[in-house]
Amino acid sequence: AQSVTQLDSQVPVFEEAPVELRCNYSSSVSVYLFWYVQYPNQGLQLLLKYLSGSTLVKGINGFEAEFNKSQTSFHLRKPSVHISDTAEYFCAVTRNDYKLSFGAGTTVTVRA
Amino acid sequence: DAGVTQSPTHLIKTRGQQVTLRCSPKSGHDTVSWYQQALGQGPQFIFQYYEEEERQRGNFPDRFSGHQFPNYSSELNVNALLLGDSALYLCASSLRTKETQYFGPGTRLLVL
């Protein structure tokens, strides 16, 4: 079974500063990786995904993530955050059974 | 293009009661998965339906059951509610042959 560890539970950041959210996974087989965002009192919105191919993937709202197979990581980055990026971010992994396993989440708080 | 819809948005029940939550998948999708998200945690996989049958199940008791209809919509039923069943219940839809799941806004269940 696969598991996901999000290394930071809370990340405070100033507006227009860069942010990195760390995610590590454990799996003995090839996986698909995802980042979802959850705004207060809402469901999950897909930010980006890694299925295969280029290890650098770009998503919506200026986010990007890099898949590193040797380090089993899939860190999320944004070069300049906005107040509207304040939200909960979840890293998730699945195999070909398409059953998602989520990390515990990282709360990003953007301050002016 | 309608996304994933869920009803109701909020629900309050008392211990021992039964509840039914509903989900309509994104247009063109044939697979529905259900997740439970307790406060402050990542979503946990409950089960997945395809071709009107439960295909996969997470670590949830038999009190949790579901159904998928010919139009691909789905219901989640929880019997004998416990206080610990209080959570946000998320429905996700996908294509059976694809790994990406799209989430609805969720139903927030409070058990008193």
Side-chain angles (χ1 to χ4, degrees):
Chain A
Q2 61 269 21
S3 66
V4 179
T5 302
Q6 292 184 239
L7 298 164
D8 309 288
S9 60
Q10 298 197 29
V11 174
V13 58
F14 285 106
E15 194 174 19
E16 298 183 6
V19 71
E20 178 181 76
L21 308 183
R22 297 178 293 169
C23 172
N24 285 94
Y25 68 93
S26 64
S27 176
S28 58
V29 298
S30 296
V31 296
Y32 306 112
L33 294 153
F34 303 83
W35 277 98
Y36 287 88
V37 60
Q38 186 173 39
Y39 299 104
N41 300 313
Q42 294 188 26
L44 301 178
Q45 181 181 3
L46 179 66
L47 273 179
L48 48 76
K49 60 185 176 182
Y50 174 78
L51 306 180
S52 64
S54 173
T55 56
L56 183 65
V57 293
K58 294 188 182 297
I60 62 172
N61 302 339
F63 284 93
E64 63 180 31
E66 186 158 17
F67 169 61
N68 188 319
K69 188 175 182 179
S70 63
Q71 298 187 6
T72 60
S73 67
F74 190 54
H75 299 336
L76 179 71
R77 302 183 183 96
K78 185 170 182 178
S80 176
V81 296
H82 302 128
I83 297 290
S84 59
D85 292 321
T86 294
E88 188 84 11
Y89 292 80
F90 292 97
C91 181
V93 62
T94 187
R95 301 177 302 172
N96 55 10
D97 59 1
Y98 302 159
K99 179 174 63 176
L100 285 169
S101 296
F102 285 86
T106 298
T107 302
V108 173
T109 303
V110 181
R111 300 168 180 168
Chain B
D1 180 20
V4 180
T5 60
Q6 293 185 243
S7 63
T9 56
H10 296 82
L11 207 50
I12 300 175
K13 292 286 187 178
T14 56
R15 280 179 299 174
Q17 284 189 313
Q18 178 264 343
V19 68
T20 297
L21 311 181
R22 295 175 177 82
C23 170
S24 291
K26 186 178 169 68
S27 178
H29 285 182
D30 56 9
T31 300
V32 172
S33 301
W34 287 92
Y35 294 81
Q36 181 196 65
Q37 185 181 17
L39 197 62
Q41 298 182 25
Q44 299 290 319
F45 175 78
I46 303 175
F47 43 52
Q48 184 180 81
Y49 276 83
Y50 170 69
E51 290 185 339
E52 302 179 47
E53 289 190 17
E54 183 182 296
R55 300 294 177 172
Q56 296 194 76
R57 189 177 184 90
N59 189 26
F60 279 81
D62 292 344
R63 298 187 297 109
F64 289 77
S65 64
H67 189 77
Q68 185 179 36
F69 299 94
N71 67 353
Y72 308 120
S73 67
S74 177
E75 288 182 350
L76 163 65
N77 301 293
V78 187
N79 294 322
L81 284 167
L82 304 174
L83 295 180
D85 294 331
S86 295
L88 179 67
Y89 288 85
L90 294 163
C91 169
S93 78
S94 58
L95 281 170
R96 180 65 184 94
T97 56
K98 296 293 185 182
E99 61 294 303
T100 305
Q101 296 181 27
Y102 297 88
F103 285 80
T107 293
R108 190 165 295 281
L109 173 65
L110 177 61
V111 182
L112 301 176

